Amino acid sequence: MSDMKNFETARVFLNFMVDYYALIRRHLVETNQFRIHSHGFSVLHALMNYRNRPITMTKFADEMGITKQQLTKLVNDLEEQNYVRRSHNKENRRQVYIEITDEGLVHIEQMIGEIIHEIVTTLACFSDDEKDEIIKAVAVLSEYFKIDAEICREKDGITLGK
């Protein structure tokens, strides 16, 4: 892809992100302390993928793209509210695992429900054909984002879920 096409694509995508963020801010009712764009929401949402197995703090920080210090502060806050739990490796006490608690699952599911309700309200103004177009566009973007995430993980030597 040429530099000009990269720039044009980046500009269109940036405009989309700004418009989407404005839409979210207009329509989402922020009823709790973790907003959809916050790290707290992102941590809880991502930890849902590790419900049945804890993940090390180091690996999770890498996957989230934040520092261990940032994750520690987030986990401290989430642990205070009983949304996550820390445990130590029995053989190596320096290795710390985190996992979402049942209370954390209930909390994030409630947040997701509230967000979906607001998105459904927003989508009510679109025709079925327009909704089909939105679904197609989001599906394509999701696939591209998954490809990019996998490339980044491979580059960094991270294997998701292992």
Side-chain angles (χ1 to χ4, degrees), residues 46-64:
L47 281 173
M48 289 174 58
N49 294 320
Y50 294 96
R51 277 189 284 240
N52 301 322
R53 62 195 190 291
I55 183 171
T56 65
M57 294 272 290
T58 300
K59 185 173 181 183
F60 193 67
D62 288 343
E63 286 186 12
M64 293 293 295

Side-chain angles (χ1 to χ4, degrees), residues 44-90:
L44 289 177
H45 192 271
L47 281 173
M48 289 174 58
N49 294 320
Y50 294 96
R51 277 189 284 240
N52 301 322
R53 62 195 190 291
I55 183 171
T56 65
M57 294 272 290
T58 300
K59 185 173 181 183
F60 193 67
D62 288 343
E63 286 186 12
M64 293 293 295
I66 60 177
T67 66
K68 289 182 248 178
Q69 293 81 5
Q70 288 172 306
L71 181 60
T72 297
K73 182 179 179 339
L74 287 165
V75 168
N76 287 345
D77 294 342
L78 294 169
E79 193 174 39
E80 254 180 45
Q81 296 170 55
N82 198 34
Y83 294 153
V84 300
R85 158 179 46 252
R86 271 185 260 225
S87 59
H88 292 271
N89 182 316
K90 300 212 185 318

Side-chain angles (χ1 to χ4, degrees), residues 26-40:
R26 272 195 314 272
H27 292 283
L28 282 185
V29 178
E30 305 289 1
T31 58
N32 56 59
Q33 71 191 71
F34 298 117
R35 299 182 178 15
I36 191 171
H37 57 278
S38 74
H39 283 302

Side-chain angles (χ1 to χ4, degrees), residues 1 16 21-22 24 36 49 57 68 71 75 82 85-87 94 102 118 122 129 132 135 137 146 152:
M1 185 181 283
F16 161 76
Y21 184 72
I24 291 295
I36 191 171
N49 294 320
M57 294 272 290
K68 289 182 248 178
L71 181 60
V75 168
N82 198 34
R85 158 179 46 252
R86 271 185 260 225
S87 59
R94 292 182 306 169
D102 290 342
E118 292 301 322
T122 300
D129 287 343
D132 288 341
I135 289 169
K146 286 176 189 173
C152 289

